[in-house]
Amino acid sequence: MAGGPPKALPSTGPHSLRDMPHPLAGSSSEEAMGGDSTPSPDLLMARSFGDKDLILPNGGTPAGTSSPASSSSLLNRLQLDDDADGETRDLFVTVDDPKKHVCTMETYITYRITTKSTRVEFDLPEYSVRRRYQDFDWLRNKLEESQPTHLIPPLPEKFVVKGVVDRFSEEFVETRRKALDKFLKRITDHPVLSFNEHFNVFLTAKDLNAYKKQGIALLTRVGESVKHVTGGYKLRSRPLEFAAIGDYLDTFALKLGTIDRIAQRIIKEEIEYLVELREYGPVYSTWSALEGELAEPLEGVSACIGNCSTALEELTEDMTEDFLPVLREYILYSDSMKSVLKKRDQVQAEYEAKLEAVALRKEERPKVPADVEKCQDRMECFNADLKADMERWQNNKRQDFRQLLMGLADKNIQYYEKCLMAWESIIPLLQEKQEAK
């Protein structure tokens, strides 16, 4: 990459990175710029991510031709069109078997990490180790240090509100286990992160503390030096495609945050309604003891309300355990992507600063300094990695949200079907009493 003349970043206007003139090049700006064929920001955004990314689809194709027995079964017969690409996988990682450890100084949970692989990087075909949350946090930090150009999947939040959430309850531990399992699977499916040496250590080392005590990686110190060099330099402008990514992430996080807040409020109201139903049903049962002819219908209403309560409880659990965690994960994902975008800007700022410094030394213009070419290579690698990870993230997002929304629709349909069946079951009983009169 360092063989050809470096290209400058755009300072103004919607021009491609490769179309911008180098300040040390001999060609005129008119020749370098050519015709203005770059699409508008709105059009570029639509081409980069597509309307299908901004609208969460619920499409699919019927698996059969016969009519379904219920609306719920119709959803079950739809197929996702964004399934896995069918690539052969050689690394499988699972997180299970959480255990509580009570020590003198602290109490914590560990999870079993089981790894199966045919890769030559692994000495054995299968490993089983135990890790706690802070070990996962160590892994993520190491991945950020050693792979600064890539999007690192987010971890579930570490801190919980004491008195509101019991972090040792079975429900919380299971929710966290699922999130940690997804975190490792995201890394496993990544073509670069899955080969990271720190990831290998995390999956195989019996004692991880020895690796945690190692010093700060060289890449971290280099990154800090870049921040120091570019600290006083203001970025001229992001290339249009990365500016569009930034705008998209801001809008996406805002909309998802609103959905998250409303969903939590709905769940809270459903729980309050569930409490009322549980008090409401027994009243009919108590009343039936005072009645003669109405005793059986009243008992039927009481049982009907009890069935509706059970169905609502299941719906609320599904919303809490399956729906909310996915929303939260993608809110954190957008924050991670913004962080990578900011690092890309720092590399661009360093490149622009070096170009301007060289341009001021007119007597040294015959040859482009090697450090400028290296900086350009870093920037181009960063751009390529970021765009590739963004495309992979978009594909995962479409599939995850399609499954999530279809599951949400299916669970709601099942809830209302159960309530409908419960109320319909007492209609014959009421009709019998009316005919007896």
Side-chain angles (χ1 to χ4, degrees), residues 289-337:
L290 305 177
E291 300 289 344
E293 296 182 354
L294 289 177
E296 192 173 355
L298 291 175
E299 284 288 356
V301 171
S302 178
C304 174
I305 295 175
N307 291 334
C308 292
S309 300
T310 302
L312 181 59
E313 184 177 10
E314 294 174 355
L315 177 64
T316 305
E317 289 178 355
D318 291 330
M319 287 279 289
T320 303
E321 297 175 4
D322 298 330
F323 186 74
L324 290 183
V326 176
L327 295 181
R328 192 59 200 161
E329 180 197 14
Y330 273 92
I331 292 175
L332 296 175
Y333 239 134
S334 63
D335 293 338
S336 299
M337 180 63 81

Side-chain angles (χ1 to χ4, degrees), residues 304 308 311-312 414-424:
C304 174
C308 292
L312 181 59
Q414 291 177 15
Y415 164 70
Y416 287 108
E417 284 180 342
K418 290 177 181 178
C419 291
L420 179 62
M421 291 175 59
W423 285 108
E424 285 182 340

Side-chain angles (χ1 to χ4, degrees), residues 390-403:
M390 185 65 183
E391 182 179 357
R392 184 178 296 105
W393 180 76
Q394 288 284 359
N395 290 334
N396 289 336
K397 174 176 67 66
R398 279 193 294 270
Q399 182 172 345
D400 288 345
F401 273 91
R402 184 171 291 114
Q403 292 175 339

Side-chain angles (χ1 to χ4, degrees), residues 225-234 346-351 353:
S225 65
V226 170
K227 292 180 183 179
H228 177 73
V229 170
T230 62
Y233 182 87
K234 185 177 181 180
Q346 291 173 349
V347 175
Q348 177 185 336
E350 180 191 19
Y351 178 55

